[in-house]
């Protein structure tokens, strides 16, 4: 059995942690009573200064003078029904506000009218909104681990562990804590035993004058109260129940009441409307932070060099175009040679990837060609092929399933000779095609079941909608990344904003 001191330290530590969580939840929700607006940061574009899952509380802007450097919560002008959390860069003579994310190279393209401002950033509560983010992204494992952790803290703080064990009674002290009563009780028992023996020898009905009356209550005796242990258990159970209810109520309130914001946000300060700027992270850092399984930057003469170091790759006719990359002086993968393709040589067994993201920057004046996708063969024309992004008539197509029964298509064309950012993702929640920060969403559809390889450039497109007839891509691609999970639309937008040309 654990001694009393280690148990006491454990219980106190558990209660401190538990009340710390309650305190964060309180500060994230209590300002609503003052009419302030809490929002959860759901993008990682400002890590590590502001983490995904932080809650930022904004004050009502009415009557406040707005000035550059303040962080505003506004209605997102580019995504209907959503919120944006950015910093004031400047104000136009008309009164419209120009915002800029600290991680962005350029200011936001759409000015914000004063009536679209919801609040001024005032208070940051770290991490308490993480469960909201996990719910949005259906990340059940961290939710489960966190729930079990909180339940464990409650059990340690208020449960049986906090009550188990009885401290040993020091010599000369009764369980009631009265000094010396232990010796008196022991001496009284010995005297009683001797007198009882004398009483028996004298015969029944005889009362020895020095023998204490067994029916009398001694003032120094401390009989055990029958219900004391039961009442202690009940108090412990009630405390655990109350702690669980309080934690659940506060976290549920936070989950329901705290709206998400697309935070190209900044800062580490916890109070005041003046948040300090953070340096914009390089595009490659933003990509690598989301843990792709392969990332091709074309910054060396080897087109197959993977910056993650975890995906063996083989190129067939692909070259590096030095100085032609998305960034000035950088390189790009040249796919213009007929049948040129680049293959991740790790075989993905049947049924193939069901959750994935394909990301790249492309530049071309050609009308069509295959950019990236999944195929049953490592080279040549695959017999089975889907999960593919291609260009046809200048428009971008993303489809899954045999011959693309689930298909997303852009309305505009992107073969204008400029660099364009393309993200295609699929998971159980749906499919997403995000081009230059503009989102097209659709149902998840069913991927085709077969084993194969991820391939960049040439492969089969026979039978697909608007077949461009040329399966090679006559153009350049740069910063090609493949992920083993689906990036959210917010993450895709954050990548575009971090990498778009200045």
């Amino acid at each position: 059995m654990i001694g009393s001191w280690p148990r006491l330290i454990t219980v106190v530590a558990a209660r401190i942690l538990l009340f710390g969580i309650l305190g964060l939840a309180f500060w994230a929700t209590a300002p609503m009573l003052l009419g302030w607006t809490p929002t959860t940061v759901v993008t990682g574009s400002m890590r590590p200064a502001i983490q995904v899952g932080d809650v930022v509380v904004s004050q009502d802007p009415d009557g406040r003078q707005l000035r550059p450097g303040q962080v505003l919560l506004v209605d997102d002008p580019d995504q209907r029904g959503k919120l944006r959390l950015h910093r004031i860069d400047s104000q136009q003579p008309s009164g419209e506000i120009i915002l800029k994310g600290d991680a962005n190279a350029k200011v936001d393209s759409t000015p914000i009218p004063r009536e679209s401002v919801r609040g001024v950033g005032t208070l940051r509560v770290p991490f308490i909104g993480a469960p909201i983010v996990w719910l949005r992204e259906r990340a059940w494992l961290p939710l489960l681990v966190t729930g079990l952790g909180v339940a464990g803290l409650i059990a340690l703080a208020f449960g049986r562990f906090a009550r188990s064990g009885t401290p040993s009674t020091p010599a000369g002290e009764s369980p009631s804590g009265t000094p010396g009563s232990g010796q008196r009780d022991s001496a009284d028992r010995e005297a009683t035993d001797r007198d009882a023996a004398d009483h028996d020898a004298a015969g029944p009905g005889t009362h020895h004058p020095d023998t204490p009356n067994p029916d009398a209550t001694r003032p120094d005796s401390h009989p055990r109260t029958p219900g004391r242990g039961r009442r202690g258990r009940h108090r412990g159970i009630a405390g655990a129940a109350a702690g669980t209810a309080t934690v659940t109520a506060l976290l549920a309130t936070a989950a329901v009441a705290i709206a998400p914001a697309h935070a190209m946000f900044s800062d580490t300060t916890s109070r005041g409307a003046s948040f300090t700027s953070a340096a914009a992270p390089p595009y490659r850092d933003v990509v690598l932070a989301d843990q792709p399984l392969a990332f091709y930057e074309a910054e060396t003469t080897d087109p197959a060099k993977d910056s993650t170091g975890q995906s063996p790759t083989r190129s067939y006719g692909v070259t590096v175009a030095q100085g032609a990359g998305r960034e000035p002086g950088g390189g790009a993968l040249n796919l213009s040679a007929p049948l040129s393709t680049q293959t991740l040589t790790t075989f993905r067994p049947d049924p193939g990837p069901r959750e994935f993201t394909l990301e790249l920057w492309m530049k071309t004046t050609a009308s069509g060609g295959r950019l990236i996708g999944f195929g049953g063969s490592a080279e040549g024309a695959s017999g089975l092929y889907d999960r593919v992004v291609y260009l046809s008539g200048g428009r971008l197509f993303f489809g899954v399933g045999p011959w693309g029964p689930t298909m997303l298509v852009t309305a505009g064309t992107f073969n204008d000779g400029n660099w364009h950012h393309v993200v295609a993702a699929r998971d159980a929640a749906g499919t997403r095609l995000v081009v230059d920060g503009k989102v097209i969403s659709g149902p998840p559809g069913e991927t085709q079941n077969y084993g194969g390889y991820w391939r960049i450039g040439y492969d089969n497109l026979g039978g697909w909608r608007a077949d461009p007839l040329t399966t090679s891509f006559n153009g350049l691609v740069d910063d090609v990344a493949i992920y083993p999970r689906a990036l959210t639309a917010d993450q895709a937008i954050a990548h575009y904003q971090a990498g778009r040309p200045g």
Side-chain angles (χ1 to χ4, degrees), residues 13 59 87 108 188 203 343 354 369 388 475:
Q59 284 183 281
R87 187 186 308 281
D108 295 358
D188 287 344
T343 303
R354 295 191 181 279
V388 63

Side-chain angles (χ1 to χ4, degrees), residues 275-477:
F275 291 80
T276 59
S277 299
Y283 176 78
R284 74 183 309 270
D285 290 352
V286 175
V287 172
L288 292 173
D290 285 323
Q291 300 179 335
L293 61 87
F295 183 33
Y296 304 101
E297 299 181 90
E299 297 304 318
T300 71
T301 57
D302 180 10
K305 179 175 175 55
D306 168 28
S307 296
T308 73
Q310 58 183 330
S311 292
T313 305
R314 186 173 180 183
S315 288
Y316 303 86
V318 179
T319 59
V320 173
Q322 299 285 355
R326 176 185 60 82
E327 295 182 339
L333 299 180
N334 186 354
L335 304 178
S336 300
L339 310 184
S340 61
T341 188
Q342 185 156 296
T343 303
L344 279 69
T345 57
T346 301
F347 179 75
R348 315 288 164 179
D350 190 357
R354 295 191 181 279
E355 297 187 0
F356 60 89
T357 299
L358 310 174
E359 178 179 31
L360 54 81
W361 293 78
M362 54 151 282
K363 178 180 179 180
T364 188
T365 56
S367 63
R370 182 185 183 277
L371 285 163
I372 190 170
F374 195 68
S377 301
E379 55 183 301
S382 298
L384 298 171
Y385 43 94
D386 80 322
R387 309 162 176 89
V388 63
V389 179
Y390 62 98
L391 194 72
S392 182
R395 296 188 298 165
L396 283 162
F397 292 71
F398 168 48
V400 298
W403 301 292
T406 300
M407 180 75 73
L408 302 178
V409 186
T410 62
T413 58
F414 297 90
N415 58 338
D416 55 4
N418 295 316
W419 283 106
H420 296 285
H421 182 245
V422 182
V423 176
R426 189 265 179 198
D427 59 12
T431 50
R432 291 177 289 282
L433 177 61
V434 187
V435 183
D436 292 345
K438 305 300 182 183
V439 182
I440 305 172
S441 300
E446 289 295 331
T447 56
Q448 194 170 357
N449 294 336
Y450 62 95
Y453 305 86
W454 287 116
R455 294 178 57 173
I456 304 164
Y458 164 77
D459 200 356
N460 204 343
L461 281 175
W464 279 63
R465 177 180 169 184
D467 184 346
L469 302 180
T470 173
T471 50
S472 297
F473 177 74
N474 185 12
L476 303 174
V477 295

Side-chain angles (χ1 to χ4, degrees), residues 199-223:
H199 177 273
D200 292 341
T206 305
H207 176 68
H208 194 283
D210 296 330
T211 303
N213 188 343
D215 296 327
T217 301
R218 296 194 307 269
D220 59 347
S221 63
H222 301 277

